[in-house]
Amino acid sequence: MASQIHIRFEVNYPALTLAVNLELPGQGITALFGHSGSGKTTCLRVIAGLEKALNVYLNINGEIWQDDHAGIFLPTHRRALGYVFQEASLFSHLTVRENLAYGQKRSQNNSASINFDQVIEWLDIEPLLQRHAEHLSGGERQRIAIARALLSKPRLLLFDEPLSALDLKRKAEILPYLERLHEHLDIPMLYVSHSPEEVARLADHLVLLNAGQVIASGVLQETLARIDLPSAFVDDAGVVIDTVLTHHDDEDCLSRLDFAGGIIYVSRQPKAIGSRLRCRIHARDVSLNLEPLHNSSILNTLAVEVVAIAETDNKANVLVRLDAYGVPLLARITRRSWRKLHITPGLKLWAQIKAVALFE
Amino acid sequence: MLNADDITALILTLQVACIATVCLLLLGTPMAWWLVRTTSRWKRVINTLVALPLVLPPSVLGFYLLILMSPTGIIGQLSVALGLGTLPFTFGGLIVASVLYSLPFVVQPLQTAFAAIGERPLEVAATLRASPLDTFFSVVMPLTRHGFMTATVLGFAHTVGEFGVVLMVGGNIPNQTRVVSIQIYNHVEAMEYAQAHWLAACLLIFSFVVLLLLYGINPKPGR
């Protein structure tokens, strides 16, 4: 097995009980998703050693940070982690450059290949270096907080809802930077969020937390397509597919995206041929047909097979899990259509996709 | 004008105040930090003890100190055991008494300042590999510098202004324990009002300047 992260602990507060036992991939972004009060932040704080818990076992790619049974406990400052807090946490008595240097000069981890100029470039903070923390916008502060965490050469990056204190415009500003880090870094990241948008856009692996319990943990695409989860997570049901841009059609202003399950056309993207694009398809935007429709205005039709059917909160609808040559898809259709079309597992039919949400 | 004795008293006062202030900061800083951070049930008791000099008549405090510093008292036995001799009516005894008397004026502003910065900067520093001691010097002290300035100025000024405790513990020994406030008292006792006026004016101006300075550096009290 490749490098791995193993997290196990229990928390028994009057207001919160948590029981977590997770095996996570040792690279990429793992999103911890859940509603407020589900214990996401507590989870990060226990991993960082900022919060006490019971029966803790933390193994970060082979490095034991805490093992209560063996009596091992590294205090926070001896754990090679980077923590980006929810609100701006820059030291107000230091300049931006001094803030960045704070963790950098205290880092003991010389094996990591984090280069100052590289980080400055990735996060585009050269123009801010001489400024003081008070004179920065919320988005700029968070970028510096991220750079500061990176420069301490962590073996694990923890993000505690880093965008939740920002407005929509600032969020949109920061997300591309996070994607850039994801592309360039091999440091595993745990990303706490209650925004399905952020999770769908950034994560490789998804952990769903509900009232202190892990209710699902798996590859993002697979986990999003699960229809057996509590309805709280199905409200906004939809899948994420990773595609490659293969062709631009200038006449109709379209771009062609290929993936294992077929082809999708979207409005022309300002990207080079060969770019990787992630898109999100909501279950409510997928309708089903027994025949291929040749005279429809809907552009995207995929050949799929029915895998399973599940109830939703709304009795008038059902959720259908589909398989497009190995790629999971979800469709939300009315109960009446379900009966009328006799949709059962194994049935082969056509999925029409009314809308595709693209990130970027 | 000031005579030679007055000058001696002034210099002695400054010496006592400077040494006492250094001792106050060295003692008061860890004390204030502990009082802010601890969850111990002794916290309330220690807090109350530190605040006692605020309400206790100085003569009462001085009286108890005199007893404790006597060769049979706890402090007295300790100082004798350490080879320092007995403390009452000495410069050393004056320092000990001054520190205890001015402690709340140093501990309380520091406590307020430490509490005001909250938990977050400490957590951030820890996630950036700073040990607790490192965090104290690199983050806590710079963020609470106003609190330190307030504590220093108040501690110094309050030591300069003490009278009752000095009279009880230090007595009235020239160049040893006769500080300005005692010297003024002596002048008044001897009906030397002109001399008393000069020294009193010195202290009045000093106090005014100190307070002016304090409000200047510290527009927001408590930080």
Side-chain angles (χ1 to χ4, degrees):
Chain A
M1 188 85 199
S3 55
Q4 263 217 341
I5 295 170
H6 191 173
I7 296 161
R8 191 185 66 222
F9 65 86
E10 286 152 38
V11 167
N12 267 313
Y13 296 149
L16 177 72
T17 41
L18 261 171
V20 170
N21 190 355
L22 280 170
E23 300 262 1
L24 301 173
Q27 66 281 310
I29 298 184
T30 296
L32 292 183
F33 180 83
H35 299 288
S36 47
S38 60
K40 308 180 297 277
T41 296
T42 307
C43 209
L44 281 202
R45 291 178 59 83
V46 169
I47 295 169
L50 296 171
E51 195 97 28
K52 289 203 163 55
L54 304 168
N55 300 320
V56 185
Y57 178 78
L58 299 172
N59 181 337
I60 311 300
N61 287 338
E63 213 173 89
I64 308 286
W65 284 359
Q66 192 170 348
D67 183 348
D68 287 0
H69 293 298
I72 299 171
F73 177 83
L74 291 184
T76 301
H77 69 277
R78 292 186 48 211
R79 303 183 181 195
L81 56 87
Y83 203 116
V84 179
F85 290 85
Q86 193 166 344
E87 78 294 328
S89 56
L90 300 183
F91 294 129
S92 57
H93 63 293
L94 301 177
T95 65
V96 168
R97 187 185 284 278
E98 289 164 336
N99 263 287
L100 294 176
Y102 192 91
Q104 192 184 23
K105 66 183 178 201
R106 288 172 171 81
S107 171
Q108 302 288 316
N109 177 5
N110 296 317
S111 61
S113 54
I114 295 278
N115 170 292
F116 185 82
D117 296 331
Q118 188 74 77
V119 171
I120 300 301
E121 192 203 311
W122 282 339
L123 290 154
D124 207 4
I125 47 186
E126 178 70 44
L128 309 175
L129 285 177
Q130 305 308 329
R131 307 259 290 273
H132 242 278
E134 297 109 276
H135 306 128
L136 300 171
S137 74
E140 288 169 336
R141 276 182 222 177
Q142 260 338 26
R143 255 152 64 203
I144 290 152
I146 294 167
R148 184 177 64 177
L150 272 179
L151 287 168
S152 70
K153 301 197 183 103
R155 293 182 200 281
L156 176 65
L157 265 171
L158 304 169
F159 289 92
D160 184 9
E161 307 206 31
L163 307 185
S164 68
L166 306 177
D167 56 42
L168 276 177
K169 192 162 162 271
R170 304 264 178 238
K171 265 182 209 177
E173 265 172 40
I174 299 241
L175 277 165
Y177 289 108
L178 291 172
E179 279 172 336
R180 198 184 291 183
L181 293 182
H182 184 202
E183 209 176 299
H184 291 288
L185 285 176
D186 53 1
I187 304 170
M189 307 183 216
L190 289 187
Y191 190 101
V192 160
S193 178
H194 66 261
S195 152
E197 170 80 16
E198 282 170 42
V199 170
R201 182 160 172 178
L202 294 171
D204 304 304
H205 192 96
L206 177 61
V207 175
L208 295 180
L209 276 171
N210 191 25
Q213 301 290 322
V214 174
I215 55 169
S217 169
V219 175
L220 175 80
Q221 288 83 347
E222 271 301 316
T223 313
L224 283 180
R226 278 178 60 174
I227 55 176
D228 57 333
L229 299 173
S231 55
F233 293 95
V234 185
D235 278 352
D236 199 22
V239 294
V240 160
I241 53 180
D242 290 305
T243 67
V244 178
L245 200 165
T246 52
H247 180 68
H248 289 304
D249 182 337
D250 290 327
E251 194 183 341
D252 291 333
C253 284
L254 292 175
S255 291
R256 177 179 144 163
L257 308 178
D258 283 29
F259 71 108
I263 296 162
I264 298 174
Y265 285 97
V266 294
S267 59
R268 198 178 190 305
Q269 297 297 305
K271 294 265 171 181
I273 304 281
S275 305
R276 306 176 75 78
L277 285 174
R278 178 175 271 195
C279 44
R280 187 158 183 228
I281 299 174
H282 288 280
R284 59 169 185 265
D285 293 329
V286 179
S287 58
L288 300 175
N289 283 294
L290 295 178
E291 310 286 334
L293 291 182
H294 299 295
N295 302 320
S296 167
S297 68
I298 288 174
L299 204 56
N300 294 314
T301 303
L302 299 171
V304 297
E305 186 179 327
V306 175
V307 177
I309 292 121
E311 300 285 336
T312 66
D313 264 3
N314 184 342
K315 287 283 178 221
N317 294 329
V318 294
L319 201 58
V320 184
R321 159 116 189 213
L322 308 162
D323 176 276
Y325 299 100
V327 179
L329 274 178
L330 290 179
R332 194 182 74 191
I333 60 171
T334 60
R335 182 176 295 274
R336 175 168 295 175
S337 311
W338 172 45
R339 279 198 292 115
K340 213 173 78 188
L341 301 182
H342 300 293
I343 292 172
T344 50
L347 183 68
K348 289 189 162 52
L349 36 63
W350 276 264
Q352 285 193 308
I353 298 160
K354 280 174 272 188
V356 177
L358 276 159
F359 302 120
E360 261 139 335
Chain B
M1 279 299 285
L2 300 174
N3 64 27
D5 281 352
D6 294 342
I7 303 283
T8 312
L10 271 173
I11 292 171
L12 182 70
T13 304
L14 287 180
Q15 279 177 338
V16 170
C18 284
I19 295 171
T21 305
V22 171
C23 296
L24 277 166
L25 286 173
L26 289 178
L27 183 72
T29 305
M31 214 163 173
W33 185 248
W34 181 81
L35 283 169
V36 170
R37 311 285 306 167
T38 187
T39 50
S40 158
R41 58 205 169 90
W42 290 100
K43 177 177 174 165
R44 199 169 292 178
V45 176
I46 303 289
N47 245 332
T48 310
L49 280 177
V50 171
L52 263 185
L54 290 175
V55 292
L56 217 53
S59 51
V60 173
L61 184 71
F63 172 69
Y64 281 123
L65 277 174
L66 201 59
I67 305 285
L68 288 173
M69 284 177 181
S70 73
T72 50
I74 298 172
I75 302 178
Q77 285 176 343
L78 188 73
S79 66
V80 169
L82 289 171
L84 298 171
T86 50
L87 290 170
F89 313 115
T90 65
F91 185 78
L94 200 55
I95 297 289
V96 172
S98 301
V99 166
L100 284 175
Y101 181 50
S102 298
L103 202 55
F105 292 86
V106 171
V107 170
Q108 289 188 349
L110 287 179
Q111 244 179 301
T112 313
F114 291 155
I117 63 169
E119 199 76 11
R120 190 42 58 84
L122 312 180
E123 293 185 349
V124 173
T127 67
L128 294 167
R129 319 278 185 283
S131 69
L133 196 66
D134 183 358
T135 301
F136 187 82
F137 287 109
S138 64
V139 174
V140 176
M141 280 184 64
L143 285 178
T144 55
R145 59 188 181 281
H146 288 302
F148 273 96
M149 277 195 233
T150 309
T152 308
V153 172
L154 283 180
F156 186 85
H158 192 248
T159 308
V160 168
E162 67 185 310
F163 175 77
V165 176
V166 182
L167 202 61
M168 295 298 281
V169 174
N172 197 348
I173 304 163
N175 210 14
Q176 273 279 326
T177 60
R178 186 185 287 169
V179 293
V180 174
S181 52
I182 305 282
Q183 182 71 353
I184 296 172
Y185 177 75
N186 289 341
H187 283 316
V188 172
E189 285 282 275
M191 304 289 268
E192 298 160 353
Y193 275 44
Q195 294 294 102
H197 261 306
W198 276 106
L199 271 183
C202 282
L203 277 200
L204 181 71
I205 292 165
F206 166 79
S207 304
F208 180 78
V209 169
V210 161
L211 284 178
L212 196 66
L213 213 70
L214 195 64
Y215 289 125
I217 56 168
N218 207 7
K220 291 175 291 179
R223 277 303 296 268

